[in-house]
Amino acid sequence: MKFKSIKANLSSNQILKRSQPLLNKKVRAATSNRLDISVNYLIGAQERTNDIANPFGRLFNFTKSYWAAYGINIDRNGSTSYRCTERGTYCLESLSCPGNARMAQLTDLIFNGGFADGHRVVTVIVAGKDVSFPSPTLGCTQTFGNKNKFGVIIYLSRDAIIGSDPYILAHEIGHALYVTGLNSNNKAGLIDNSIPGNLMNKIVPIKNPTLTEGQINAARKSIMLY
């Protein structure tokens, strides 16, 4: 996988290019405004799975409730834990947006094709302690592949799931819902913006963020839904 060098803002939606072709799957049209996510925990050598899984579970439930108010139903399509041992396969030294070589390698290992029962799945990767983005970034949503065959990955630092802003995952889900492939446009506004109090503001609000009517309509029409 190759990362396209784009200057990243807080939680900005970045574009990646994947060196290996993705499977060509037929995707069913959205019928119930449901979004599937697959969760992956990168557990540090001195951590327990629940050190990450429990706070993420609370953040997920908060995020699920937020988007449900706008008619988007988010489901977890399973979770998997990967333990980092010294110089191990599933170890990260740092996070960056749009990404680094180690993140690309892990994405290749973890990403399973991005489909379940004919619909697209957003892959969420949560890093363990002592692995973070350069401040102030807490998360990054990435797309890779091509217009018809692509995947969506959300990387979150541990600070994102235990920090003071409960809307970080909701913000990244907004990026995922807005993905249209590698030729995404920004007319509906589900990219980072500067609207005060808006969920997709580049500095994510910490209290009662809003969405515009255009953003809501774009999310409900997302090709990521089924």
Side-chain angles (χ1 to χ4, degrees):
M1 177 183 298
K2 295 181 179 179
F3 290 82
K4 184 177 180 180
S5 296
I6 302 176
K7 184 177 180 180
N9 293 318
L10 176 65
S11 304
S12 59
N13 182 28
Q14 303 298 339
I15 304 301
L16 288 78
K17 294 182 179 179
R18 185 180 175 89
S19 59
Q20 299 178 3
L22 302 181
L23 295 178
N24 189 6
K25 299 278 188 176
K26 183 177 181 180
V27 181
R28 294 196 298 265
T31 57
S32 59
N33 282 356
R34 306 194 76 85
L35 177 72
D36 257 3
I37 70 170
S38 172
V39 183
N40 303 269
Y41 305 118
L42 303 182
I43 311 300
Q46 304 301 318
E47 285 183 298
R48 299 173 301 172
T49 298
N50 284 343
D51 291 339
I52 297 179
N54 287 346
F56 178 83
R58 292 189 289 270
L59 181 65
F60 170 79
N61 289 335
F62 187 89
T63 300
K64 182 181 177 75
S65 296
Y66 178 86
W67 279 104
Y70 293 103
I72 306 296
N73 301 300
I74 307 174
D75 291 326
R76 289 178 63 170
N77 186 14
S79 60
T80 306
S81 297
Y82 302 91
R83 182 164 296 281
C84 170
T85 58
E86 185 177 0
R87 297 182 181 179
T89 302
Y90 297 103
C91 295
L92 272 178
E93 294 182 356
S94 64
L95 293 167
S96 64
C97 198
N100 55 49
R102 190 70 188 119
M103 289 170 66
Q105 292 172 354
L106 278 173
T107 299
D108 279 334
L109 288 170
I110 293 174
F111 185 73
N112 62 4
F115 290 88
D117 299 325
H119 59 267
R120 290 187 171 94
V121 176
V122 176
T123 299
V124 179
I125 299 176
V126 187
K129 66 179 182 180
D130 301 324
V131 181
S132 61
F133 289 98
S135 180
T137 302
L138 296 173
C140 188
T141 300
Q142 306 165 337
T143 64
F144 55 88
N146 59 53
K147 185 176 182 181
N148 298 313
K149 295 178 290 184
F150 65 91
V152 179
I153 301 283
I154 294 175
Y155 266 97
L156 295 175
S157 67
R158 191 169 185 268
D159 291 340
I161 63 174
I162 64 173
S164 59
D165 191 337
Y167 293 99
I168 294 295
L169 180 57
H171 175 100
E172 298 303 332
I173 291 293
H175 285 311
L177 286 169
Y178 189 59
V179 166
T180 59
L182 293 188
N183 293 326
S184 298
N185 59 60
N186 59 8
K187 292 182 179 179
L190 284 190
I191 61 167
D192 287 335
N193 60 45
S194 299
I195 302 173
N198 190 269
L199 177 68
M200 303 311 297
N201 191 297
K202 60 185 178 180
I203 300 177
V204 182
I206 62 173
K207 186 177 180 179
N208 301 325
T210 60
L211 290 171
T212 67
E213 183 176 351
Q215 289 173 320
I216 296 168
N217 290 336
R220 290 173 177 170
K221 296 176 182 178
S222 172
I223 61 175
M224 302 302 296
L225 301 179
Y226 71 100

